[in-house]
Amino acid sequence: MTSHTPADPLPLTSSRAGALNGRIRVPGDKSMSHRALMFGAIAIGETTIRGLLEAEDVINTAKAMTALGADATRGPDGVWRVQGVGVAGLRSPAQPLDFGNSGTGVRLAMGLMATTPLTATCVGDASLSKRPMGRVTVPLSQFGTQFETAEGNRLPLTLKGARNPVPVTYTLPVASAQVKSAVLLAGLNTPGKTTVIEPTPTRDHTERMLKGFGAKIAVEKKADGNHITIEGQHELKAQDLDVPGDPSSAAFPMVAALITPGSDIVIENIMLNPTRTGLIDTLVEMGGNITIENRRLAGGEEVGDLHVKHSQLKGITVPAARAPSMIDEYPVLSVAASFANGVTRMEGLEELRVKESDRLAAVEAGLHANGVTTRSGHDWLEVDGGGARGGGTVVTHMDHRIAMSFLVMGLASAEATKVDDSRFIATSFPDFTGLMNGMGARLKPAA
Ligand code: S3P
């Protein structure tokens, strides 16, 4: 939590709403925002970023880059400017770097720092301090980086960057864009070629954006997966970047409109990178009336406007292979599933156990509290459709996506839903409540 976050939990309720209507924009993409700040920090020259997500997770990354010597500031025009220091230019911060709630922030920053001879301590909030860091410290140690971690490879940790890093070839043991990115970023200040082998494709913003910054990066598709190779110790060139809307944030108004009778909304300027659009594919397969209008290319990414109308959904099986392209969207998909006809089965959900909360457990508990029947295993979940009764209180476990998902549920359930704490919504979508209420939702502080 940052200094401006209220100290006490902020419970919110969401009540049955009439039709949702309007044209809206959601904040900038979180994955791209973290990367824009970090790559700008090690480029030569001034990087400008328009549309940066100004939410706690990303602000913590901006502060970390400034503490590492690459000043990142917001101009009065809303444009962020990062003064890059070069691939070998980061220096030891005077204070511990606080990444708050953000796994992406800390794991990518660890990669960024790993091959520069600096010392940095990384800390986070109670949720981030429970999450596994071994998935990053193990490959980064192969470059020669040293770590002192809390019990079980967790935060807080102190990183000592390698003075004479050696290049690494690493096959990802989990489908994680964060791990892939951490290794590639460590490769940027390492002589020779660093390769990541990715058996299952994950979001590729690091590859695309680094290419834009002029990195020597190549992606080869082979039988055992994508081989991504970076040639180190070449400088990057500052860029002028535009960050489109976050599909993972658009997911909430999208599902809200699908389940609330009479709704008809347009969500403008959403990033449609194919490694991020699994939820749209799934909802369309479930019968969702979603059309993509005004498709275009912006800043190296596909972008479009999502036109969404209320639809009677039907249950389907969502295959494990689709999980990486919608990994953050299962909580809100589970809410959509509870209003579908029939059963929705989701497979390949293992990674949900190590997100901001154990999302599989938190979703199931929230569904049960609101009268929805489910079955689950270690990596799968089945949700019975037919509509949610509501009336329950959901424990959010410091997880923004659990809070937003169950506030969406309340718009279409028979009785209001309540979330025990909405403060963490500020980590990714600060004006969620205002934006939803502006379309006709009824979200308000709990009495
Ligand atoms: C992200 C990767 C995903 C995702 C997270 C953002 C990224 O995490 O859940 O919200 O920006 O690289 P994993 O890499 O752990 O799957």
Side-chain angles (χ1 to χ4, degrees), residues 257-301:
L258 287 173
I259 64 174
T260 307
S263 298
D264 185 343
I265 67 166
V266 176
I267 316 170
E268 295 176 346
N269 196 40
I270 298 305
M271 196 247 294
L272 296 169
N273 177 314
T275 62
R276 296 287 301 282
T277 49
L279 178 72
I280 299 176
D281 300 339
T282 300
L283 291 170
V284 167
E285 221 174 293
M286 292 171 79
N289 187 337
I290 304 171
T291 45
I292 299 174
E293 299 170 351
N294 197 15
R295 249 185 207 276
R296 58 204 184 271
L297 270 179
E301 294 283 4

Side-chain angles (χ1 to χ4, degrees), residues 14-351:
S14 172
S15 323
R16 203 176 174 90
L20 303 179
N21 285 293
R23 292 186 81 86
I24 58 164
R25 285 196 172 220
V26 299
D29 185 66
K30 183 138 73 77
S31 293
M32 289 180 73
S33 294
H34 284 296
R35 287 164 173 78
L37 289 166
M38 291 192 198
F39 304 171
I42 55 161
I44 298 287
E46 179 181 274
T47 287
T48 63
I49 312 165
R50 288 180 170 72
L52 186 87
L53 167 62
E54 293 176 334
E56 284 175 15
D57 279 7
V58 174
I59 300 296
N60 285 329
T61 289
K63 286 183 186 160
M65 294 307 111
T66 301
L68 289 163
D71 190 48
T73 42
R74 179 188 203 271
D77 51 359
V79 178
W80 282 75
R81 293 181 171 78
V82 189
Q83 312 304 328
V85 295
V87 284
L90 298 177
R91 57 165 158 75
S92 300
Q95 308 285 337
L97 303 173
D98 186 350
F99 290 95
N101 195 250
S102 179
T104 309
V106 72
R107 293 190 180 120
L108 268 60
M110 283 161 69
L112 197 75
M113 298 186 291
T115 51
T116 302
L118 56 75
T119 302
T121 296
C122 301
V123 302
D125 68 12
S127 155
L128 188 56
S129 302
K130 284 189 206 147
R131 298 178 65 185
M133 294 300 143
R135 54 180 55 200
V136 178
T137 61
V138 167
L140 294 182
S141 299
Q142 295 179 17
F143 288 89
T145 314
Q146 293 178 346
F147 294 95
E148 273 170 39
T149 69
E151 175 93 17
N153 258 321
R154 291 179 207 259
L155 298 184
L157 65 74
T158 297
L159 170 154
K160 278 197 171 56
R163 192 166 289 278
N164 296 303
V166 289
V168 164
T169 295
Y170 189 69
T171 302
L172 294 180
V174 280
S176 166
Q178 293 177 3
V179 178
K180 168 175 68 176
S181 302
V183 175
L184 291 173
L185 294 180
L188 285 173
N189 195 30
T190 301
K193 289 183 174 175
T194 289
T195 301
V196 175
I197 301 166
E198 178 183 58
T200 314
T202 63
R203 67 189 69 194
D204 62 357
H205 306 300
T206 296
E207 297 90 309
R208 284 177 191 242
M209 207 185 276
L210 278 181
K211 195 167 257 171
F213 272 88
K216 294 197 180 303
I217 183 167
V219 183
E220 267 183 288
K221 291 193 190 307
K222 295 195 178 174
D224 60 348
N226 292 338
H227 288 223
I228 306 141
T229 299
I230 211 147
E231 206 180 292
Q233 298 192 332
H234 292 286
E235 292 296 357
L236 306 181
K237 286 187 296 293
Q239 297 295 301
D240 294 317
L241 301 168
D242 249 310
V243 181
D246 193 329
S248 298
S249 294
F252 300 103
M254 182 159 70
V255 169
L258 287 173
I259 64 174
T260 307
S263 298
D264 185 343
I265 67 166
V266 176
I267 316 170
E268 295 176 346
N269 196 40
I270 298 305
M271 196 247 294
L272 296 169
N273 177 314
T275 62
R276 296 287 301 282
T277 49
L279 178 72
I280 299 176
D281 300 339
T282 300
L283 291 170
V284 167
E285 221 174 293
M286 292 171 79
N289 187 337
I290 304 171
T291 45
I292 299 174
E293 299 170 351
N294 197 15
R295 249 185 207 276
R296 58 204 184 271
L297 270 179
E301 294 283 4
E302 271 180 57
V303 171
D305 302 336
L306 302 177
H307 190 168
V308 189
K309 294 183 188 165
H310 169 254
S311 310
Q312 180 53 59
L313 302 174
K314 61 174 194 301
I316 62 165
T317 293
V318 187
R322 204 178 286 166
S325 68
M326 55 179 294
I327 195 64
D328 293 333
E329 279 67 81
Y330 286 101
V332 78
L333 173 63
S334 305
V335 168
S338 66
F339 291 94
N341 285 331
V343 178
T344 299
R345 182 178 167 88
M346 302 161 225
E347 296 173 347
L349 306 188
E350 209 159 0
E351 279 292 301

